[in-house]
Amino acid sequence: MYLTILIIYLVVTLSLGLLAARSDKSLEGYYVGGRSLGSGILALTWGATLLSSATYIGTAGYAYEHGWAGPIWGAGLMVFGGIFAWLTLGKKVRVISEKIGSLTIPNLFKKRYGSNIVSGFSSVLMFIFYIPIVASQFVAVGILFETIFGLPYLWGILIFGVITTLYTSFGGFSAVARTDAFQALLMIAGFFIITPIVISKVGGFSGLQQQLSNIDSGLLEPSGAVGHFTLLMIFSWFIYYLFSTGGQPFMLVRFFSAKNVNVLKWALPIGLFMMIWVYYNITILGLGARVLIPDLSSADSAFPALIELTLNPVFGGVIVAAIFAAMMSTVDSILHVVGTSVANDLFKQNLNKQASEKTMMLISKISVLLVGVLSFALAINPPGSVLELAAYGWTCLTSALFMPMLAGLYWKKFNKYGAIASMIGGGGMGAIAIGGLGGFALGFHPYILAFPTAVIAGIIVTLLTQNRNSEETRKINEVFFSKSNSNDKKESYEKIL
């Protein structure tokens, strides 16, 4: 029955993707859905993309291992990051991207900094650092297949990888957004089934608290069961979530797709409700799993094991489909943004400036397939847990790209040299902190080494080089910092840049 419901879900998802793909025949349609999304779909695709296996498998596992502290400090703070990104970047990114005709984040960088190097390098960073994030989703699927279906781990990641990669490569942004919306609704609905059952089985909220205290009183402490969440660790996670969402191209491109600025105002509260609802429920379920199944060998197995223990195959199949929805909505969004950036900002800008739309769409699809294959290879023998893989990829990429994005929209003097320095400093320090210094073993999130490095490098290099190319800078500022938002000036803006 689990497999039957999952197959039905996959058929519906693929059908929605194929139907939506019919509207993505133009390049703008394929890249950003023709800038046509309303508040509802925009909010749901934002929420579904942000809430991945790191939420369903990783956050539940953190709650299982650390108690209340795990999801509160380790993931709940992401809500603040979503608000910050929406308020500081949403309107500006939407207005400027249409004003200058940009369809990707690297292309926006190219026009802001007047440099193919900045756009090309950002595309390369996306290609590299999105692989561990996608791999983390594959790992979660493998765990799910082993725990629920009793099937080999390898089968799970292979089936998931093939399905997600294919429908993303052959559909465009409309396909991604509309399947995301369907998947988001499934995620929201799924908790109405499992959470009340789990709360009942543990004796209500008071029973849950009492039993957690009996297992380990640290599960109720702000520092967690093993004292993992020190003040420094909490601070580092806060900084990570506050700034990292604004450095994620697969999140920011959703602002490109909004029908207009007013859509953003209404989409924000809908998206926030979804995030809070999911995090609240997944926390209860992770804690419930610790009470009902206290001897799991892997915390990442907490949610799948809870499904098998508490639900019949019909309801269990719905929840499994909801978990698949979380994973697929993240992977399809990442694969889409990588494919479009490689095609537009690496291939066309640097290798074949006369490439047709048909050729660019083909390159985009090939790039999607390549990232899917490399992520599958990494997931076969992963170097860390689901949450660690996702956090490491986010750390390196967002450290590299947040400063060029925020400073590029708010600081006129910030230039291409500062942007490149931020990318090298942030991404490089993130890789060093993770690969050479031990990552979380440092006692804090490695982001607080990588992010300040990017900020400091960008500021210093910008100040040292601010007098170069002053005429070019003046033209760029005329476009990015003028008060006019009129779309009828789009052609003149493109001539200037």
Side-chain angles (χ1 to χ4, degrees):
M1 183 60 70
Y2 284 116
L3 279 174
T4 301
I5 294 177
L6 182 60
I7 289 170
I8 292 172
Y9 156 74
L10 292 174
V11 169
V12 172
T13 299
L14 288 171
S15 299
L16 286 172
L18 291 173
L19 288 172
R22 295 179 179 179
S23 64
D24 288 338
K25 299 304 181 183
S26 69
L27 202 61
E28 185 175 58
Y30 185 82
Y31 279 28
V32 294
R35 305 186 196 273
S36 63
L37 296 194
S39 298
I41 291 182
L42 178 62
L44 292 174
T45 185
W46 169 277
T49 299
L50 195 60
L51 301 171
S52 65
S53 68
T55 303
Y56 278 76
I57 303 298
T59 300
Y62 245 45
Y64 184 94
E65 183 177 3
H66 298 288
W68 283 102
I72 291 175
W73 304 129
L77 293 174
M78 184 180 282
V79 173
F80 295 101
I83 295 173
F84 183 78
W86 208 284
L87 296 180
T88 58
L89 299 174
K91 180 178 179 180
K92 281 183 173 289
V93 168
R94 173 61 183 85
V95 170
I96 293 230
S97 66
E98 185 171 26
K99 180 192 289 188
I100 63 177
S102 284
L103 302 177
T104 67
I105 293 297
N107 183 254
L108 188 150
F109 284 163
K110 176 187 179 298
K111 295 182 177 181
R112 168 59 180 87
Y113 299 110
S115 171
N116 284 336
I117 295 176
V118 174
S119 64
F121 188 38
S122 62
S123 297
V124 171
L125 291 175
M126 289 164 57
F127 187 92
I128 294 172
F129 292 128
Y130 272 143
I131 289 173
I133 300 177
V134 173
S136 73
Q137 313 303 306
F138 286 14
V139 171
V141 170
I143 293 171
L144 196 64
F145 264 66
E146 280 187 322
T147 306
I148 299 295
F149 305 130
L151 295 175
Y153 170 87
L154 193 61
W155 285 24
I157 61 176
L158 180 60
I159 293 171
F160 177 78
V162 169
I163 292 175
T164 308
T165 303
L166 284 179
Y167 91 71
T168 304
S169 63
F170 289 101
F173 189 85
S174 291
V176 169
R178 282 160 177 76
T179 54
D180 281 355
F182 164 67
Q183 290 161 341
L185 293 174
L186 185 59
M187 292 181 220
I188 293 171
F191 289 117
F192 285 104
I193 296 173
I194 190 170
T195 303
I197 294 174
V198 171
I199 291 175
S200 175
K201 283 185 175 293
V202 298
F205 288 102
S206 60
L208 175 64
Q209 292 289 87
Q210 182 60 53
Q211 293 187 70
L212 288 173
S213 178
N214 293 340
I215 294 171
D216 183 344
S217 61
L219 292 168
L220 306 179
E221 296 295 327
S223 60
V226 294
H228 177 73
F229 287 94
T230 63
L231 288 177
L232 180 58
M233 181 64 81
I234 293 171
F235 173 75
S236 67
W237 275 98
F238 175 74
I239 295 299
Y240 167 65
Y241 278 127
L242 183 63
F243 296 113
S244 64
T245 304
Q248 277 291 6
F250 80 100
M251 299 303 302
L252 295 175
V253 75
R254 270 128 187 87
F255 296 140
F256 285 44
S257 66
K259 185 181 297 184
N260 53 53
V261 172
N262 289 330
V263 162
L264 297 174
K265 298 177 183 178
W266 292 104
L268 176 57
I270 299 173
L272 288 178
F273 164 77
M274 179 181 176
M275 291 173 64
I276 293 169
W277 172 252
V278 170
Y279 278 129
Y280 164 76
N281 281 277
I282 204 66
T283 298
I284 297 298
L285 297 178
L287 296 172
R290 183 63 184 264
V291 169
L292 298 173
I293 325 167
D295 56 352
L296 289 175
S297 58
S298 171
D300 278 347
S301 299
F303 195 19
L306 190 67
I307 293 171
E308 192 172 33
L309 176 70
T310 60
L311 299 178
N312 62 45
V314 175
F315 286 152
V318 174
I319 302 302
V320 169
I323 299 176
F324 262 77
M327 300 170 190
M328 292 181 72
S329 60
T330 298
V331 171
D332 62 20
S333 299
I334 291 174
L335 293 178
H336 176 77
V337 79
V338 170
T340 54
S341 295
V342 168
N344 187 74
D345 306 302
L346 273 181
F347 180 76
K348 183 173 183 179
Q349 296 299 331
N350 296 285
L351 299 176
N352 184 0
K353 294 185 182 297
Q354 305 305 316
S356 65
E357 289 193 2
K358 183 177 180 180
T359 299
M360 290 175 64
M361 291 178 74
L362 175 62
I363 295 298
S364 179
K365 293 172 181 179
I366 293 173
S367 301
V368 166
L369 292 172
L370 184 57
V371 172
V373 169
L374 293 175
S375 300
F376 170 80
L378 181 60
I380 292 175
N381 186 24
S385 70
V386 171
L387 196 60
E388 287 173 340
L389 276 174
Y392 289 160
W394 271 66
T395 294
C396 293
L397 185 61
T398 61
S399 296
L401 299 186
F402 180 76
M403 185 65 176
M405 174 56 68
L406 187 70
L409 295 177
Y410 283 94
W411 186 17
K412 292 182 180 181
K413 293 183 178 180
F414 195 72
N415 59 27
K416 61 184 176 183
Y417 306 105
I420 293 171
S422 288
M423 291 179 185
I424 295 173
M429 179 54 73
I432 291 171
I434 293 164
L437 300 180
F440 288 106
L442 291 167
F444 51 82
H445 198 298
Y447 189 78
I448 63 170
L449 292 179
F451 179 65
T453 301
V455 173
I456 293 170
I459 292 173
I460 290 175
V461 173
T462 293
L463 294 177
L464 292 175
T465 60
Q466 61 181 306
N467 293 324
R468 298 186 182 184
N469 299 321
S470 57
E471 178 59 22
E472 179 184 48
T473 300
R474 185 194 64 77
K475 291 181 178 180
I476 290 172
N477 288 343
E478 180 182 343
V479 173
F480 277 80
F481 297 98
S482 65
K483 294 183 179 180
S484 174
N485 296 328
S486 176
N487 289 334
D488 61 7
K489 292 189 176 184
K490 179 176 175 181
E491 290 186 5
S492 63
Y493 286 135
E494 290 178 331
K495 289 180 181 178
I496 292 175
L497 297 175

